[in-house]
Amino acid sequence: MGSADTSEVAPGRLKPILEVLDPRPVLDAAALELLGWAAQYYHHPIGEVLAGALPRALRLGASATGSEERWVATALGAEACAAGEPRRAARQRSLLEFLLGCGGAAAATLNERPGSWRDAARSLLARGWIARTESALEAQAQDARVRAAGPALLPEQSAAVDAVAASLGRFGAFVLHGITGSGKTEVYLRLIERVLAGGRRALVLVPEIGLTPQLLGRFRERFDAPMAVLHSALTDHERLLAWRDAFSGRARIVLGTRSVVFAPVPQLGLIVVDEEHDASFKQHEGGFRYSARDLAVMRARHAAVPVVLGSATPALETLHNVAAGRYAHLRLQRRTAQSLPPRLALLDLRTSAVRSGIATPAVLAIERHLADDGQVLVFLNRRGYAPTLLCTACGWIAPCRECDARLTVHLGAGRLRCHHCGADAPLPQRCPQCGFAVKPVGQGTQRIEETLGALFPGVTIARLDRDVVRRRGELEEVMRRMSSGEARILVGTQMVTKGHDFPNVTLVVVLNADQGLFSTDFRAPERLAQTIVQVAGRAGRGAKPGEVLIQSEFPDHPLLTSLLAEGYDGFARAALAERSQAAWPPFSRLAAVRDSATTAQAALAFLTDARKLAQRLPRGVRLLGPVPAAMAKRAGRYHAQLLIESPQRARLHEFLESWLGQLERLPSARRVRWSLDVDPIELF
Ligand code: ADP
Ligand code: ZN
Ligand code: ZN
């Protein structure tokens, strides 16, 4: 962490340094400053924060730079060779001659020669005729060139590029707010172009699901520059290699999901966070829970570079920062192609005939768009065949034994699965209680796929959800079938709302908008509005105008009507006013202590004790709870939470600082697993 000339520790108790592992620190001053800030802000031990910022292989001892194994012939070897040695070993002789001829070679080069060479090298080494060296792999400065110039920018795009470019070399936070297809990515590319031309590097964060071959392809098409790509599907070794490319400065663009915010980027010039509202930027598991978007802004501040937060549906927090003058607002109001924004309409589920989850007007609309050669996207946020297995005779419902949840029917696989704990059981034919036949109730993406198949015989239907992409290569296959036009209808979950561009989709049907309207989580409406706008953005990106149908049992709900009448801006205004009245974030600051235990009692007992410890609260800090989580039992453990709220961030953190230390010493803490989440985005 640092070095000093003197110490308060008695000299006899100081430990000697055995070895210097890395000639250049893996965390430079800027990284230490950022991580130190994160440890303080998220109230997490600095050691774990640092460890979390480094690839596992590095923590286990791999070198930060990587080294190259080289082989050279010795003077003794030269003499031996001149004397005609070795006489009877052709392999050895050939290797020795080769090394003499080229003055030494890397192991990688020797690997490319025909035949194996390791045994021969060992024998030559034993006689002292050749030697092995290991040298640090130094990265050569890499050029970055623009392969193909982009299209001429529209006025709004130019204005956005100019605004951010004027801030290169110092901190500035910019919200690039434009609907899907308005040319945000093009703005990022232009800015990165300037950063590269200035000899600097760019860091790009994308959501878990946004890192598509399409996006990578666009970067590679534009730039002839080494890129390091970091995401969660890499093996430890792959991650190490990508990290080294970033660390050495070889990579000019470092691109990845959440944890890439910690990647080393020497001479950083710009940070981009694409789809900044996306929930995957929030690490909400494990010990160290952070927001990669918020850390990106802090990193930009420390590094004195601009940060661009792009989205069609900025988070309400972000819009609040715009209103407060902390972030600049750059708008892209028009789509780049001559296409019009899609028309949104609500479909009242109470007054239309509904067959297997699809209302008749929606069926007719699908028919119409198919007849017009359009493609159709049907969105339902529930994978599987049906969310419930029911016995109509006795009312039995297949429950998960480990969770307060129902098991989802996966008909094709013949299984019942829990989407919360992963429990998996065979699908029964008869009710275990009364022996009567059971039936799946409700809709999942698989069942919608089946229903549409029956409604539109001969039309090819594709499906995209987590069950599909789990199979390797399936995502690409679905994309291919949609892009080629082979598939005419795509049924999918959240997964279809991001990243993929299907220009021929002219109709989007949102099957159930109501899940987000009546939730215990105050952020649910925001997520619903974002989903609707994002999924609507998939319609009509080509030359044809798009149509969006939203099925709901509550078409008069103010959230839906404001969203339809005034778009996301109108919704955001109304939702922020509501949050302000209720004193929810961003008008207050929140932290959550969550715990889980083997009994509901133990989970509540710890949080109750924790609350008692805070008898005398500082002014302006409130405790809410403890309460059992909305789904209290999950994976066999009982969950509860206690919220800490304050209108002032400083007050909240002051309180947490003194309180958390005491929590650890509570006897009831030993019976639970607990964690702190600062700025939680999901409340249970
Ligand atoms: P977003 O990131 O906002 O979804 P993109 O940058 O991907 O938008 O742009 C949408 C499409 O329009 C892409 O195919 C892109 O190549 C194209 N595009 C972007 N800017 C322009 C422009 N100024 N002129 C013509 N086409 C453009
Ligand atoms: Zn029964
Ligand atoms: Zn379960």
Side-chain angles (χ1 to χ4, degrees):
M1 294 292 300
S3 62
D5 298 328
T6 59
S7 171
E8 287 157 18
V9 179
R13 298 190 54 216
L14 290 173
K15 306 279 188 201
I17 292 171
L18 296 180
E19 190 186 351
V20 176
L21 288 178
D22 303 293
R24 183 182 134 208
V26 292
L27 297 164
D28 60 12
L32 284 178
E33 198 187 344
L34 179 71
L35 294 168
W37 180 87
Q40 224 171 20
Y41 185 82
Y42 293 108
H43 299 273
H44 201 72
I46 183 74
E48 281 185 33
V49 172
L50 295 190
L54 297 172
R56 210 176 102 83
L58 203 67
R59 296 202 306 269
L60 295 180
S63 139
T65 45
S67 57
E68 190 180 50
E69 175 193 350
R70 291 187 65 83
W71 291 85
V72 289
T74 60
L76 221 58
E79 271 173 37
C81 188
E85 293 276 357
R87 277 177 224 289
R88 276 180 297 278
R91 281 250 164 86
Q92 291 179 33
R93 168 124 200 125
S94 140
L95 179 61
L96 185 58
E97 277 174 350
F98 179 77
L99 289 176
L100 277 167
C102 64
T109 312
L110 297 176
N111 283 338
E112 281 165 19
R113 282 164 42 90
S116 65
W117 57 276
R118 287 272 173 201
D119 285 342
R122 216 165 291 130
S123 309
L124 292 171
L125 184 67
R127 303 172 84 164
W129 290 349
I130 65 172
R132 180 181 185 280
T133 62
E134 193 101 9
S135 63
L137 207 55
E138 283 302 321
Q140 305 89 344
Q142 295 282 336
D143 272 351
R145 272 173 305 144
V146 173
R147 240 189 261 276
L153 292 181
L154 295 171
E156 282 181 327
Q157 286 177 310
S158 301
V161 169
D162 291 345
V164 180
S167 177
L168 288 176
R170 62 193 158 82
F171 172 70
F174 299 86
V175 178
L176 185 60
H177 183 181
I179 52 168
T180 311
S182 61
K184 296 185 294 296
T185 309
E186 188 57 42
V187 171
Y188 309 150
L189 292 173
R190 291 307 168 91
L191 286 167
I192 292 170
E193 197 178 311
R194 297 217 190 171
V195 167
L196 296 181
R200 296 192 157 259
R201 296 182 176 77
L203 173 63
V204 182
L205 278 76
V206 296
E208 199 60 63
I209 209 166
L211 194 59
T212 57
Q214 276 176 0
L215 181 80
L216 284 177
R218 236 170 121 183
F219 272 77
R220 295 221 163 91
E221 257 167 46
R222 183 64 58 89
F223 300 114
D224 181 8
M227 267 166 54
V229 181
L230 283 141
H231 55 83
S232 56
L234 296 179
T235 64
D236 283 348
H237 186 66
E238 288 167 334
R239 190 185 314 279
L240 177 68
L241 295 184
W243 186 92
R244 278 177 179 162
D245 276 349
F247 179 73
S248 69
R250 199 183 85 80
R252 299 296 306 273
I253 303 169
V254 179
L255 193 147
T257 51
R258 188 172 56 227
S259 67
V260 83
V261 73
F262 299 117
V265 186
Q267 288 171 295
L268 180 64
L270 171 75
I271 303 180
V272 172
V273 184
D274 189 28
E275 308 285 3
E276 63 87 33
H277 66 279
D278 195 276
S280 73
F281 287 127
K282 176 75 204 253
Q283 169 64 272
H284 57 144
E285 280 165 8
F288 179 40
R289 296 165 186 229
Y290 61 91
S291 154
R293 178 204 51 213
D294 295 350
L295 278 177
V297 174
M298 196 43 74
R299 180 167 181 177
R301 192 184 286 279
H302 284 159
V305 301
V307 56
V308 179
L309 308 175
S311 177
T313 52
L316 294 182
E317 268 90 351
T318 301
L319 290 176
H320 182 62
N321 279 326
V322 168
R326 283 186 286 268
Y327 296 175
H329 203 187
L330 308 172
R331 304 234 30 179
L332 303 181
Q333 311 259 22
R334 251 181 300 153
R335 290 190 173 193
T336 54
Q338 290 95 329
S339 62
L340 302 162
R343 263 179 301 121
L344 274 68
L346 285 169
L347 246 175
D348 192 340
L349 284 174
R350 296 163 309 179
T351 56
S352 346
V354 180
R355 178 174 156 194
S356 307
I358 311 175
T360 308
V363 174
L364 296 175
I366 295 174
E367 209 165 73
R368 192 155 34 79
H369 282 263
L370 289 179
D372 270 356
D373 263 348
Q375 282 176 308
V376 177
L377 209 156
V378 178
F379 171 76
L380 175 67
N381 217 355
R382 205 186 267 141
R383 68 192 164 88
Y385 185 80
T388 306
L389 186 70
L390 173 76
C391 167
T392 45
C394 78
W396 174 85
I397 283 172
C400 176
R401 275 197 206 102
E402 304 296 317
C403 305
D404 292 333
R406 296 166 177 184
L407 292 174
T408 300
V409 180
H410 286 253
L411 198 64
R415 312 294 294 179
L416 277 174
R417 289 187 185 135
C418 176
H419 288 185
H420 304 281
C421 71
D424 183 295
L427 185 64
Q429 298 301 313
R430 318 228 138 248
C431 171
Q433 222 161 254
C434 73
F436 200 76
V438 287
K439 72 169 195 185
V441 176
Q443 317 299 327
T445 45
Q446 288 177 20
R447 190 174 214 174
I448 293 297
E449 184 184 12
E450 181 186 283
T451 304
L452 289 167
L455 283 168
F456 302 102
V459 172
T460 306
I461 300 167
R463 178 164 60 87
L464 187 58
D465 56 32
R466 213 136 45 82
D467 295 319
V468 175
V469 301
R470 205 168 283 142
R471 298 190 287 271
R472 229 188 150 78
E474 273 294 300
L475 175 65
E476 291 73 22
E477 178 58 14
V478 170
M479 295 299 134
R480 191 197 59 71
R481 290 171 66 205
M482 277 301 283
S483 314
S484 71
E486 176 195 328
R488 306 289 310 283
I489 304 178
L490 177 64
V491 180
T493 57
Q494 204 78 5
M495 221 159 250
V496 302
T497 63
K498 291 161 211 165
H500 318 290
D501 194 358
F502 303 118
N504 210 28
V505 167
T506 53
L507 172 67
V508 173
V509 182
V510 178
L511 286 184
N512 187 353
D514 297 339
Q515 289 158 10
L517 293 178
F518 305 97
S519 166
T520 51
D521 187 345
F522 70 89
R523 276 198 178 78
E526 177 183 357
R527 277 196 290 268
L528 170 67
Q530 287 167 343
T531 302
I532 290 180
V533 174
Q534 296 277 345
V535 81
R538 304 287 115 197
R541 297 193 64 184
K544 299 175 191 166
E547 187 178 349
V548 180
L549 294 176
I550 302 161
Q551 299 193 157
S552 170
E553 303 232 12
F554 308 92
D556 301 326
H557 194 285
L559 158 62
L560 289 178
T561 51
S562 76
L563 184 63
L564 258 73
E566 304 167 75
Y568 189 73
D569 288 8
F571 159 80
R573 252 194 316 277
L576 275 169
E578 224 173 67
R579 294 251 191 113
S580 164
Q581 272 162 15
W584 282 123
F587 300 94
S588 66
R589 298 284 162 176
L590 272 187
V593 175
R594 300 202 182 90
D595 75 347
S596 73
T598 48
T599 67
Q601 247 171 344
L604 283 175
F606 166 66
L607 294 180
T608 306
D609 290 349
R611 181 167 186 143
K612 279 194 203 126
L613 271 184
Q615 272 317 349
R616 297 202 359 254
L617 284 170
R619 248 163 43 94
V621 176
R622 282 197 303 158
L623 294 187
L624 310 166
V627 289
M631 185 187 293
K633 190 180 174 199
R634 251 177 300 142
R637 293 180 69 86
Y638 293 84
H639 297 250
Q641 78 179 8
L642 174 62
L643 289 181
I644 309 101
E645 187 253 16
S646 174
Q648 280 145 316
R649 196 205 303 260
R651 282 263 162 76
L652 177 74
H653 283 264
E654 221 173 274
F655 167 69
L656 289 177
E657 191 63 50
S658 66
W659 183 57
L660 289 169
Q662 305 173 49
L663 292 198
E664 277 156 20
R665 291 193 291 274
L666 281 173
S668 50
R670 269 178 257 134
R671 302 185 50 208
V672 303
R673 288 184 206 140
W674 70 277
S675 63
L676 174 75
D677 193 352
V678 175
D679 303 331
I681 66 160
E682 270 177 277
L683 297 182
F684 305 108

